[in-house]
Amino acid sequence: MMSRPLQQVALHVRRRFVTAAMLVVVVILASLTPSLSAVAHDSRVEKPTIVLVHGVWADASSWQRVVERLQDDGYPVRAVANPLRSLTSDAAYLRAILDTMTGPIVLVGHSYGGAVITNAATGSPNVRALVYVNAFALDQGETTLGVVGPDSALSAPDPTTVFDFVPATLPPTATTDLYLKKSVVFTSFAAGLSADQKAVVAASQRPPALAAGIEPSGPPAWRTIPSWYLIGTEDEIIPPDVQRSMAKRAGSSVTEFGAGHLGLITEPRTVTRVIEQAASSVR
């Protein structure tokens, strides 16, 4: 039987052992804390990058309110400058930008920007989702001006009632710039905006070259990449029925909202929500 002095020594040893073990645990946990923080940080970084592509008669600032919301939600965002010169060259330019990026990408196009993402994303390994916002989801061989249909404000019998050509020489060539007449901006293109906002859109529009509207599209990315589509039910540029037809053909997940052609400006909350739905599908 152990004597009292030996029992006291054993108890003292056990206490020291327990104390030492607790110190080891504290040290280990402390060393893990930066790693755990890094994991949390990495989970934010691993969110897909959202690349936003504007359409004709607009620039990247048209995405401003959407960009702010996406950034507030922790997404890396790029709102790229679309050259608006021709579908082939614009898609090649966007593809060059995509090729500089790493990690998964959600590619979003508004209006003519939809035609650009449809071509640029074909064969891209990083583009995991496409989002069309009042946009052209063209099939191979189609053109943007060819699919809008007779109900579009762009389809007037006399193009000079819709466009101001620069240079003004007629007939226009593939390199002729097309500005929308102020009346078309106010009544159709910028429907849903205030009068002051419409005036700014009319004054600051970036024109496309005619080639952007008449050049045939190539093999579409939506055949192999999942897509989402926001249909503006008040759109007078790409009529809702035309959008529905393209969305159905692409097998897109569809959301309809009561917006005109510039729904990305008037309804940024809805647009952001659908983009984030697409982003949440990316693994």
Side-chain angles (χ1 to χ4, degrees):
M1 187 171 179
M2 186 179 295
S3 65
R4 182 174 297 276
L6 288 177
Q7 288 177 341
Q8 291 175 342
V9 170
L11 179 61
H12 178 69
V13 170
R14 282 198 298 272
R15 286 175 177 171
R16 293 191 62 183
F17 176 78
V18 170
T19 300
M22 291 178 64
L23 287 173
V24 170
V25 170
V26 170
V27 170
I28 291 174
L29 289 175
S31 67
L32 286 177
T33 300
S35 299
L36 294 172
S37 299
V39 169
H41 177 71
D42 287 345
S43 68
R44 292 193 296 270
V45 172
E46 287 173 1
K47 282 189 173 182
T49 299
I50 313 297
V51 177
L52 306 168
V53 183
H54 66 80
V56 295
W57 306 301
D59 60 23
S61 67
S62 60
W63 290 109
Q64 178 181 343
R65 297 177 70 188
V66 174
V67 169
E68 291 170 348
R69 284 167 170 76
L70 289 170
Q71 289 180 333
D72 286 345
D73 292 339
Y75 286 93
V77 184
R78 290 281 300 274
V80 304
N82 190 352
L84 309 181
R85 296 297 85 196
S86 74
L87 186 52
T88 299
S89 63
D90 294 343
Y93 178 76
L94 176 59
R95 180 58 179 265
I97 293 175
L98 298 177
D99 288 344
T100 68
M101 304 171 70
T102 58
I105 296 169
V106 175
L107 193 53
V108 186
H110 171 248
S111 188
Y112 168 73
V116 176
I117 70 172
T118 295
N119 285 265
T122 301
S124 174
N126 288 347
V127 177
R128 308 292 176 79
L130 303 170
V131 181
Y132 294 92
V133 183
N134 297 65
F136 291 100
L138 299 180
D139 203 349
Q140 187 166 3
E142 293 179 336
T143 67
T144 57
L145 288 178
V147 304
V148 291
D151 295 331
S152 170
L154 304 180
S155 297
D158 181 1
T160 62
T161 65
V162 177
F163 305 113
D164 289 323
F165 298 107
V166 178
T169 306
L170 295 176
T173 69
T175 59
T176 298
D177 279 347
L178 277 60
Y179 286 85
L180 284 180
K181 288 188 174 295
K182 183 177 180 179
S183 59
V184 178
V185 172
F186 270 67
T187 60
S188 301
F189 183 73
L193 274 65
S194 69
D196 288 344
Q197 290 173 317
K198 290 177 180 179
V200 171
V201 171
S204 61
Q205 57 183 294
R206 280 191 58 215
L210 178 58
I214 62 175
E215 192 170 82
S217 186
W222 47 256
R223 290 199 186 280
T224 56
I225 301 173
S227 61
W228 283 253
Y229 202 120
L230 284 99
I231 298 173
T233 58
E234 305 300 319
D235 196 334
E236 298 181 36
I237 301 299
I238 311 175
D241 284 346
V242 175
Q243 295 186 47
R244 291 185 185 106
S245 177
M246 291 188 289
K248 181 178 180 180
R249 181 178 61 189
S252 303
S253 175
V254 173
T255 298
E256 297 198 5
F257 65 141
H261 191 63
L262 295 183
L264 74 169
I265 297 175
T266 61
E267 300 289 340
R269 188 181 304 276
T270 300
V271 173
T272 302
R273 175 172 56 81
V274 174
I275 292 171
E276 292 187 355
Q277 286 175 359
S280 68
S281 74
V282 173
R283 296 291 183 266

